Amino acid sequence: MGIDYQCGTGHGIGFVLNVHEAPNGFRWRVVPERFDSAVLEEGMVTTNEPGIYIEGSHGIRLENEIVTKKAEKNMYGQFMEFEVVTFAPLDLDAVDPTIMTKEEKDYLNWYHGQVFEKVSPHLTAEEREWLKEYTRAI
């Protein structure tokens, strides 16, 4: 969208459960005093928390945790990818599907399918019905 949303996209979490634990982070620029510009390595857990804040108007932030894992290795080197490791539904009351791209809708529907698949077996019938509603496809 061509804007600076005034915050990092994610940060490390780790063995002592600190918030913003170095050395990993996602930012559009290096902030030397944060010590979070390390190369991501297999097994690093990072938050994925895109957000936006419009001063005097509104803001929103979603947060999830992802783990770095190895993907394709080819002549260019070892590529990495992320795997989601926390599963909780996103509030669909705050979602406006009319302004979402097909890819965004597909991702949200995939994610909510994963939430239902992984969490529902641990719930009562009543809780499962609630989760089914709040992870419905848009």
Side-chain angles (χ1 to χ4, degrees):
M1 294 179 68
I3 58 175
D4 177 359
Y5 53 87
Q6 303 296 315
C7 60
T9 302
H11 53 78
I13 59 173
F15 71 101
V16 291
L17 299 177
N18 286 332
V19 175
H20 300 159
E21 185 170 304
N24 49 317
F26 281 115
R27 299 187 178 284
W28 69 272
R29 63 186 167 93
V30 173
V31 181
E33 63 271 16
R34 295 198 68 99
F35 304 105
D36 66 355
S37 298
V39 172
L40 297 176
E41 297 181 24
E42 184 176 29
M44 284 182 160
V45 178
T46 306
T47 64
N48 178 13
E49 50 180 291
I52 185 167
Y53 303 98
I54 307 297
E55 189 172 340
S57 176
H58 65 280
I60 187 170
R61 182 180 287 215
L62 305 173
E63 186 165 343
N64 209 330
E65 281 73 40
I66 52 181
V67 65
T68 306
K69 62 184 223 176
K70 289 182 179 175
E72 178 181 356
K73 184 174 184 175
N74 61 29
M75 61 192 256
Y76 300 108
Q78 177 66 60
F79 286 79
M80 308 301 274
E81 64 186 10
F82 299 112
E83 179 181 336
V84 176
V85 294
T86 55
F87 295 93
L90 301 177
D91 184 1
L92 293 176
D93 293 340
V95 172
D96 182 354
T98 66
I99 61 172
M100 295 174 72
T101 66
K102 178 183 180 330
E103 291 79 15
E104 291 166 338
K105 290 177 192 176
D106 288 348
Y107 179 81
L108 181 57
N109 290 335
W110 169 84
Y111 174 73
H112 272 165
Q114 292 294 302
V115 171
F116 188 81
E117 179 183 313
K118 293 177 185 309
V119 175
S120 66
H122 306 284
L123 303 177
T124 67
E126 181 181 353
E127 292 165 338
R128 235 182 334 276
E129 283 305 308
W130 178 91
L131 186 62
K132 185 177 182 179
E133 170 67 16
Y134 282 89
T135 57
R136 69 189 179 277
I138 58 166

